Amino acid sequence: NAGVTQTPKFRILKIGQSMTLQCTQDMNHNYMYWYRQDPGMGLKLIYYSVGAGITDKGEVPNGYNVSRSTTEDFPLRLELAAPSQTSVYFCASRTTGEGNTIYFGEGSWLTVV
Amino acid sequence: GENVEQHPSTLSVQEGDSAVIKCTYSDSASNYFPWYKQELGKRPQLIIDIRSNVGEKKDQRIAVTLNKTAKHFSLHITETQPEDSAVYFCAARGDTGRRALTFGSGTRLQVQP
């Protein structure tokens, strides 16, 4: 049971490039999330999904897109990367139900130069 | 949407002293309140959580209290040790709307030996 797996762990992008951060979980969790964490700050929700085929915006969705074609995978797409997207990105998942624990991936460090 | 405020932003204590971190939340529908510890370069790790039907929960040196009327909750760490030094985040979540954790801005705890 690998939990939540994110790739890549580190990436440097040039301004205007695009990329996809991959996230997969093997716990059959319905809920999946993408957060970003800027230096010295808390986590901000980018997008979330309550099940395959269903996605919705969080607090800071601009510049990102997601898809959820399977229960396991929840990729985050960055289009036209900007320096403001330099951050650490965490994918997370949990089961449905009140108070269920959220499981985080190890994070992806992205720098846009 | 939910808004979580956390204080203080930094806290320095002597080894063996107690540390208290406080959070307030805005959405009265929130019913789950976890606390995370994050070490440098690592993902957030759940250290304790409390649900809205409970006023206090304790786990060894760590305790959390919840005041639903005042919409605030606190983390108490007793007999602090140098390995408690980290950034601590509070969070809140309800089971309607986004059903995602909203995080506080974090408290950097430094335990001086």
Side-chain angles (χ1 to χ4, degrees):
Chain A
N1 200 340
V4 180
T5 303
Q6 291 181 234
T7 56
K9 193 168 178 68
F10 300 98
R11 182 74 186 267
I12 298 175
L13 271 184
K14 292 185 178 178
I15 294 172
Q17 286 186 322
S18 299
M19 75 161 296
T20 299
L21 297 176
Q22 302 291 346
C23 177
T24 187
Q25 51 90 10
D26 61 359
M27 297 173 283
N28 201 33
H29 287 172
N30 287 337
Y31 289 15
M32 294 189 75
Y33 309 92
W34 275 106
Y35 286 91
R36 61 176 285 175
Q37 184 177 30
D38 297 335
M41 303 294 287
L43 284 75
K44 298 287 187 185
L45 182 67
I46 306 171
Y47 269 94
Y48 69 102
S49 169
V50 300
I54 306 169
T55 63
D56 209 345
K57 296 177 181 179
E59 301 171 76
V60 290
N62 291 346
Y64 306 95
N65 274 301
V66 294
S67 59
R68 185 94 184 271
S69 56
T70 66
T71 298
E72 293 78 20
D73 300 306
F74 190 40
L76 178 72
R77 178 85 177 158
L78 281 74
E79 304 281 3
L80 300 174
S84 60
Q85 293 178 303
T86 294
S87 193
V88 182
Y89 293 83
F90 288 100
C91 181
S93 72
R94 72 176 178 99
T95 56
T96 54
E98 181 181 329
N100 282 337
T101 303
I102 190 172
Y103 292 81
F104 283 97
E106 292 187 315
S108 296
W109 273 253
L110 176 66
T111 302
V112 182
V113 296
Chain B
E2 175 67 276
N3 182 50
V4 177
E5 296 195 355
Q6 182 172 347
H7 301 280
S9 56
T10 60
L11 181 58
S12 183
V13 300
Q14 291 295 125
E15 182 177 358
D17 286 351
S18 295
V20 180
I21 303 170
K22 298 182 178 182
C23 288
T24 61
Y25 61 99
S26 61
D27 188 352
S28 56
S30 289
N31 56 16
Y32 176 63
F33 308 93
W35 286 88
Y36 289 86
K37 177 182 180 182
Q38 188 177 34
E39 296 174 335
L40 192 62
K42 302 288 188 182
R43 68 186 122 184
Q45 295 280 358
L46 179 70
I47 56 171
I48 195 166
D49 57 13
I50 192 166
R51 289 156 178 77
S52 58
N53 58 347
V54 176
E56 184 173 355
K57 183 176 178 180
K58 196 170 183 179
D59 183 4
Q60 298 183 333
R61 296 186 298 109
I62 294 173
V64 58
T65 58
L66 171 66
N67 183 328
K68 282 213 72 180
T69 303
K71 288 192 276 189
H72 67 70
F73 55 114
S74 301
L75 177 71
H76 304 253
I77 305 174
T78 59
E79 300 171 28
T80 53
Q81 301 166 3
E83 50 266 38
D84 294 329
S85 296
V87 180
Y88 291 80
F89 292 97
C90 63
R93 185 181 76 212
D95 285 321
T96 58
R98 290 189 179 135
R99 287 167 281 184
L101 288 173
T102 299
F103 286 83
S105 54
T107 297
R108 182 172 299 278
L109 174 65
Q110 185 81 29
V111 180
Q112 307 286 350

